[in-house]
Amino acid sequence: MKKSKTTSASIAATTQTAPLAPAKAALPAPLLHTHLTLVETAEPELLEELLADRRVGPLLVARLSDCVAVVAPGNAKEVQRWLLKAGHTPRIVDEKQ
Amino acid sequence: MSRLTVYPTLDEYESRLPDFAKRLEVINADKLKKMARVWVGKDAAKLNKDSAIQLLKRSFRDPKAIRQLADNLTPVERDGLMLMKLRGRSVVYTEELATELLLLHPITPDRKSGYHSSGKQYGRLNEMMERGLLMRCDGSNSIFGDSHYSYSDSCEAVGAVADFFGVIDLTPPPSLSLKPVTDVVAPVARHTGELLLELTSFAQAFDRLGSVQIIGKGLYANPSLAKLYKLLDWNRQDEDSRAPSLLPSVEFYLGLFLAADLLKVDYVARKITTNPRRNIPLTLEQPLTIQARLWAQSYRALRRWVECVPPGVYFYADEITGQTRFNGLRAALLLALGLLPDPNQWYRITDLSDILRLRIGRQFALGHVPSYYVPWKATPEQEAQALAKYEKEYLTNWQSREQVWIEQALCGSLFHLGLVELASDAKDKSGQQTLFRLTEAGRAALYDIFRQPVATDGQSSPARPSEQACWIVQPNFEVLVYLDQASPRQLGFIERIGQRQKADAAIVTYRLTRESVYVALEEGVETNGLLQTLESCSLHPLPPGVSRTLSDWAARRERLTVRLDASVLEFADAAARDAALTAGKIKGTAIGERFLLTNKTEQELKRAAPFGGTISYEPQPPRSLIVQDDGKILITQHDLLIAGELSAFAEPTGNPMFWQVTRASVLAARDRGWTASDIINRISHRTTLAPPPFLQYAIHAWCGNKTAPGPTTIATPPLLQTSTAEVAEAICKCTFLRPHLLARIGGCAVLIKPESVKTLGKLLAEYGFAIGKEVLLPAPESPEKKK
């Protein structure tokens, strides 16, 4: 993986809002991201609702589409627990089984 | 080093049977000839050691020789092999077979050698071993009870040296001479549904718990037991191992399921899990008459649980051991129940106990077997007196120990397992349950096995009996289940989808809740199947509100999916992804503009198309951050999550590879519920080195932490510096200088009072000190010194 050699001196102090969508990197070839926990909703509104939730929202760290978000590593169990506690009944799919 | 002793299951003993033929080499010629005699009769006397070994090796593998052998077997040997055939295995637990053989072929005490009993309970088993039909599974060639401490040379299992089952017929041994009782009052039988409900609910509770931990001594870990008791809503017995065990008990069912091989012990991970090679739901869906045989066999081999520990019996309650004498007595009791004169009649428990005592009691006891020796030079009167004393002690011991255990086994576990029913004798005014009779399940499991052999493993799937409607679903989501009409499969289903509210002998009430239905759906119950089964087994049509709500609950689950351990392929843009999909080189589900959910591995993808690499996020995501004292963050490696993670507590800059932790970003994170520790931990999780301590203090301070970094001050008190610590020490100790000093800071520096600068300077000058005005900085270390 190519590492950036930019120094801290070039950091610009801007205050724009951070996007939840992952930054587009120049990808000459597809990159495989493994061992991810995804939250997938039937409607975009439901995902918005989850992102706005004080408990679950901070644990969703990337949004891949209107209906799919990625859970912060190591927080899959916590997200499941919070979803159940919040009255959701998520279908749990273990992709490796 | 772990103290945990591994006790293999019979399956494991069977799969790892030692090569009996190889072990013949170390047996002496006389013993080998005795073994050869079983196969070739008197001609064995002519054989030398080598030829005897060759003959035995040939015979073990020769079906013709094995068929001929059947004619030369003694009744003990035939029965021994028949008991093994009944188990359907070429291995058997030593304690079980030894006691069963003793029951079928009692040994009369030899008066000349006295009624010495050490190891004698293995007498019949040893006969078979000496004749070379059985061998120990531990690789030893010695017989049992050979040493003074019979347990020291114990071996849990013995195996047959050849496949004898084809030549052994199942013939019922002679019945026991027991007198039936006809005046019976108040018969009590366990409700079949009750037992099935307990078995099913235990299996499901275990399934939900996932595993049970075991401690170093091999016993069940208390927290796991407590969780199971809570899940099952059973009462836990006080920890008095000697008291009769109350049922239902989690320990009993755990032992039962382990002995049935439905669960297995993982000795490395120290936990008990479901045996993947067995199908628990399928086993529990069998008719009880078939299940009963499995449970009877498992009860016989049950470990870590005993019915009671009678006084005078030593029992290792705090440590798991191999098969014990309790297993031996259980085997004898179950075999005796199979030898009742009439399986439909009532018998006295005490009569059965007496029969067992007369047949096995001289050689076997749960505790110490009293010995009798003919007194030295005793007169016939003295000898008779001594013998009478011995007989009295022997009888008293049996009645206070083994008989107590037998009563407890019949009235406790065997009644609980639905194998026997109990009643009172009409002539007995106490009204105690002193009579027993085999139930239908008991008859199938214990009596009919000699007469109508059935499949042994409980895994076979005979035609499922037709099911009848057995519950009523009420509009308030309560389901009333009639136990006498419910089949094991129906009980398993309702136990899975409902929450048990209350249960009695006839009716169990469940409540269908969103959570219980959700758990059932998560465990693999299909929505359509759920509604169909609920409807088809209901005595009345489902209330419309219930079926509508159940459908809603199921549909609600479809709205939200959590995908664990997912792999996502990231493309540069939608065109690149769609091109790869169109080319058919990569398969998966498109997500958003440029992602693809795939189940392909890295290797498969490498073979399929150009591939940029893999980033794994569990158990540790890439450590791709460099953090500086001032809160500047540099991302050294692009990944899918890093920007989202940083956005929680840092601010983006114009360059996507740089972020900045600021007071405002930390305050915003704090407002969203983050603590300083959360932020520091999240940063630490992604950096190779810990975040700079100064930044950590800053984050704490921004979050309003009062204790870290704590108060700081910028002041300008005059500083007195000395060349050495000794000089500073001398000044501090000087009585007339001390009033001018504030505090010593470090070895060579002392803070002085601002108003005393001139006075102190004069005093020091007067005493010869050279006073300068420049700060004395420590000399830099020379390179040589560093080395």
Side-chain angles (χ1 to χ4, degrees):
Chain A
M1 192 60 54
K2 197 181 172 186
K3 288 189 179 179
S4 169
K5 288 186 178 174
T6 318
T7 61
S8 59
S10 64
I11 294 178
T14 60
T15 53
Q16 66 188 63
T17 314
L20 198 54
K24 256 191 192 182
L27 290 173
L31 193 58
L32 181 67
H33 302 275
T34 62
H35 305 300
L36 291 170
T37 301
L38 306 181
V39 171
E40 189 179 344
T41 59
E43 309 93 30
E45 295 75 25
L46 180 56
L47 188 56
E48 292 291 348
E49 190 186 311
L50 295 178
L51 288 167
D53 188 291
R54 273 180 73 91
R55 295 160 302 182
V56 185
L59 301 176
L60 301 176
V61 290
R63 192 166 178 177
L64 304 186
S65 74
D66 288 348
C67 297
V68 180
V70 188
V71 176
N75 288 286
K77 283 257 156 38
E78 201 175 341
V79 166
Q80 284 181 52
R81 198 168 52 244
W82 277 117
L83 288 174
L84 290 172
K85 206 170 175 183
H88 297 285
T89 48
R91 196 156 63 93
I92 311 294
V93 181
D94 193 335
E95 294 289 336
K96 286 289 174 275
Q97 281 184 0
Chain B
M1 192 81 174
S2 170
R3 290 185 61 230
L4 204 55
T5 310
V6 176
Y7 292 101
T9 62
L10 282 181
D11 264 357
E12 289 161 344
Y13 273 122
E14 201 164 26
S15 62
R16 289 186 245 147
L17 263 183
D19 186 350
F20 294 133
K22 274 188 188 166
R23 280 160 50 183
L24 297 172
E25 314 284 343
V26 292
I27 299 175
N28 71 38
D30 286 344
K31 286 183 179 173
L32 285 170
K33 281 184 193 175
K34 199 173 173 183
M35 291 177 180
R37 195 184 166 103
V38 180
W39 298 88
V40 293
K42 287 179 183 172
D43 289 346
K46 298 171 193 164
L47 299 170
N48 62 22
K49 180 172 177 175
D50 287 339
S51 52
I53 289 172
Q54 292 311 318
L55 173 94
L56 287 168
K57 282 183 177 176
R58 261 197 323 274
S59 304
F60 289 169
R61 295 190 301 266
D62 182 7
K64 193 178 161 194
I66 292 171
R67 268 197 305 279
Q68 282 174 353
L69 171 93
D71 302 329
N72 291 333
L73 291 176
T74 64
V76 172
E77 291 160 355
R78 195 169 289 115
D79 283 346
L81 294 175
M82 180 187 71
L83 290 168
M84 291 181 78
K85 184 178 178 176
L86 272 174
R87 289 166 164 86
R89 290 179 183 279
S90 55
V91 293
V92 61
Y93 284 124
T94 310
E95 292 291 335
E96 291 180 9
L97 187 61
T99 328
E100 285 176 343
L101 283 174
L102 203 56
L103 177 75
L104 294 180
H105 302 278
I107 302 172
T108 311
D110 178 3
R111 282 198 64 230
K112 277 185 185 172
S113 62
Y115 286 36
H116 170 62
S117 58
S118 177
K120 292 273 175 70
Q121 76 264 32
Y122 302 109
R124 294 301 186 200
L125 183 72
N126 284 339
E127 285 173 24
M128 289 184 73
M129 297 199 34
E130 282 169 341
R131 298 250 292 164
L133 296 170
L134 299 177
M135 280 201 179
R136 295 164 62 128
C137 286
D138 63 355
S140 162
N141 283 325
S142 60
I143 58 169
F144 292 98
D146 214 9
S147 84
H148 179 67
Y149 300 103
S150 60
Y151 271 108
S152 65
D153 70 337
S154 68
C155 165
E156 267 211 317
V158 290
V161 294
D163 183 6
F164 296 118
F165 293 166
V167 299
I168 299 295
D169 297 325
L170 292 183
T171 44
S175 299
L176 302 174
S177 53
L178 281 168
K179 200 176 152 196
V181 183
T182 47
D183 291 342
V184 176
V185 289
V188 188
R190 186 110 205 273
H191 207 292
T192 308
E194 252 184 301
L195 172 63
L196 289 173
L197 182 67
E198 270 174 22
L199 289 165
T200 309
S201 50
F202 174 79
Q204 297 202 353
F206 187 91
D207 194 34
R208 281 178 190 168
L209 192 62
S211 65
V212 164
Q213 297 293 323
I214 50 175
I215 58 170
K217 291 178 175 180
L219 301 172
Y220 310 120
N222 261 325
S224 294
L225 288 181
K227 283 178 193 165
L228 267 180
Y229 270 108
K230 195 176 173 190
L231 278 171
L232 287 158
D233 199 19
W234 289 352
N235 293 323
R236 193 168 183 185
Q237 191 179 1
D238 294 336
E239 286 182 20
D240 180 2
S241 62
R242 304 198 77 83
S245 299
L246 297 177
L247 293 167
S249 122
V250 162
E251 292 90 331
F252 175 76
Y253 278 102
L254 272 173
L256 203 66
F257 274 58
L258 275 170
D261 259 353
L262 299 173
L263 304 179
K264 67 179 180 62
V265 183
D266 182 341
Y267 284 94
V268 178
R270 290 194 176 175
K271 64 181 183 183
I272 295 166
T273 54
T274 309
N275 186 349
R277 295 193 299 148
R278 303 281 171 170
N279 188 331
I280 297 179
L282 190 66
T283 304
L284 296 179
E285 284 177 15
Q286 308 274 2
L288 189 63
T289 45
I290 292 178
Q291 282 190 50
R293 184 153 189 220
L294 175 71
W295 301 130
Q297 286 193 351
S298 309
Y299 166 66
R300 191 171 53 200
L302 189 63
R303 286 192 179 115
R304 297 181 174 89
W305 182 90
V306 289
E307 295 74 1
C308 65
V309 185
V313 175
Y314 191 71
F315 177 64
Y316 296 92
D318 60 347
E319 193 156 4
I320 179 67
T321 58
Q323 294 284 303
T324 63
R325 293 185 183 191
F326 288 95
N327 297 99
L329 192 51
R330 278 186 204 132
L333 177 61
L334 292 180
L335 180 58
L337 291 174
L339 304 181
L340 293 176
D342 182 345
N344 299 313
Q345 294 289 333
W346 291 91
Y347 297 95
R348 281 195 182 82
I349 296 174
T350 48
D351 288 352
L352 184 69
S353 167
D354 280 342
I355 284 278
L356 284 168
R357 177 175 59 81
L358 293 171
R359 291 196 170 216
I360 67 172
R362 297 285 180 190
Q363 292 83 22
F364 176 89
L366 288 174
H368 167 68
V369 188
S371 299
Y372 169 71
Y373 297 94
V374 180
W376 177 245
K377 290 183 178 175
T379 61
E381 290 77 25
Q382 286 170 329
E383 196 181 320
Q385 222 172 16
L387 187 60
K389 189 182 167 197
Y390 158 76
E391 290 290 351
K392 192 180 169 191
E393 185 193 356
Y394 158 69
L395 181 64
T396 314
N397 276 357
W398 182 274
Q399 286 174 340
S400 63
R401 294 172 187 173
E402 285 73 25
Q403 187 164 310
V404 167
W405 181 91
I406 289 167
E407 285 165 358
Q408 190 60 34
L410 280 165
C411 301
S413 35
L414 292 178
F415 174 78
H416 188 84
L417 285 173
L419 299 175
V420 297
E421 49 193 84
L422 303 168
S424 304
D425 189 343
K427 291 172 189 162
D428 182 2
K429 288 179 183 172
S430 71
Q432 282 186 330
Q433 291 166 330
T434 52
L435 308 178
F436 72 93
R437 181 173 75 167
L438 290 177
T439 60
E440 189 190 344
R443 222 163 25 244
L446 305 171
Y447 187 86
D448 292 344
I449 51 169
F450 294 107
R451 289 120 186 134
Q452 305 159 16
V454 290
T456 52
D457 58 0
Q459 296 280 317
S460 54
S461 49
R464 183 176 286 165
S466 59
E467 289 176 341
Q468 51 183 329
C470 62
W471 56 62
I472 296 172
V473 182
Q474 309 209 71
N476 65 354
F477 294 88
E478 275 191 356
V479 184
L480 304 179
V481 182
Y482 295 95
L483 279 179
D484 56 342
Q485 294 167 32
S487 72
R489 193 190 72 87
Q490 288 169 320
L491 278 175
F493 172 80
I494 198 69
E495 184 76 18
R496 195 166 279 265
I497 67 159
Q499 258 177 12
R500 197 162 5 101
Q501 302 288 299
K502 53 187 174 186
D504 58 37
I507 294 177
V508 191
T509 309
Y510 289 86
R511 178 175 282 280
L512 300 174
T513 64
R514 194 176 63 183
E515 289 74 25
S516 68
V517 170
Y518 168 68
V519 170
L521 292 171
E522 276 301 299
E523 286 171 356
V525 176
E526 303 257 333
T527 312
N528 288 341
L530 188 148
L531 285 168
Q532 274 169 13
T533 311
L534 207 55
E535 176 102 55
S536 63
C537 300
S538 178
L539 290 158
H540 304 295
L542 282 188
V546 171
S547 44
R548 196 171 49 245
T549 309
L550 289 178
S551 300
D552 285 350
W553 287 343
R556 191 180 162 86
R557 179 171 160 267
E558 299 299 323
R559 290 180 65 209
L560 186 59
T561 305
V562 175
R563 296 187 187 279
L564 305 172
D565 216 359
S567 297
V568 169
L569 206 50
E570 182 185 9
F571 291 84
D573 49 40
R577 182 194 63 190
D578 295 343
L581 277 174
T582 314
K585 290 176 181 172
I586 297 170
K587 286 180 183 171
T589 312
I591 301 175
E593 279 183 14
R594 55 193 184 91
F595 297 101
L596 188 75
L597 177 67
T598 181
N599 54 8
K600 299 285 177 195
T601 61
E602 187 178 349
Q603 282 71 28
E604 287 169 331
L605 289 168
K606 269 182 189 168
R607 282 196 295 269
F611 183 61
T614 302
I615 299 178
S616 172
Y617 296 86
E618 296 278 358
Q620 168 63 50
R623 293 188 180 277
S624 53
L625 299 184
I626 294 173
V627 185
Q628 298 181 353
D629 289 326
D630 58 358
K632 286 167 189 157
I633 297 176
L634 166 65
I635 303 173
T636 58
Q637 181 189 343
H638 159 81
D639 72 50
L640 200 58
L641 311 181
I642 193 68
E645 286 184 51
L646 288 173
S647 68
F649 52 83
E651 290 170 358
T653 66
N655 185 334
M657 303 303 277
F658 293 96
W659 289 69
Q660 176 79 46
V661 178
T662 63
R663 174 193 290 271
S665 68
V666 169
L667 283 174
R670 192 190 68 171
D671 291 345
R672 289 195 300 271
W674 288 67
T675 63
S677 301
D678 290 341
I679 297 170
I680 293 165
N681 287 342
R682 184 59 71 85
I683 297 174
S684 306
H685 203 48
R686 291 298 215 130
T687 54
T688 315
L689 301 171
F694 182 76
L695 181 63
Q696 292 190 38
Y697 279 124
I699 292 170
H700 276 290
W702 287 331
C703 281
N705 194 331
K706 300 272 191 237
T707 53
T712 50
T713 308
I714 298 177
T716 52
L719 180 69
L720 170 66
Q721 280 189 295
T722 58
S723 53
T724 63
E726 290 75 21
V727 177
E729 182 76 13
I731 292 171
C732 289
K733 285 186 172 171
C734 175
T735 51
F736 63 88
L737 293 180
R738 206 184 299 153
H740 303 290
L741 306 179
L742 270 177
R744 186 171 177 189
I745 50 167
C748 305
V750 183
L751 295 178
I752 57 178
K753 292 176 180 172
E755 65 274 16
S756 299
V757 174
K758 280 188 181 172
T759 318
L760 186 64
K762 275 184 187 171
L763 283 169
L764 286 172
E766 201 176 320
Y767 284 89
F769 286 79
I771 311 293
K773 290 198 171 176
E774 297 297 317
V775 176
L776 298 176
L777 293 173
E781 278 185 64
S782 68
E784 282 175 10
K785 206 174 178 183
K786 270 185 185 174
K787 281 177 191 174

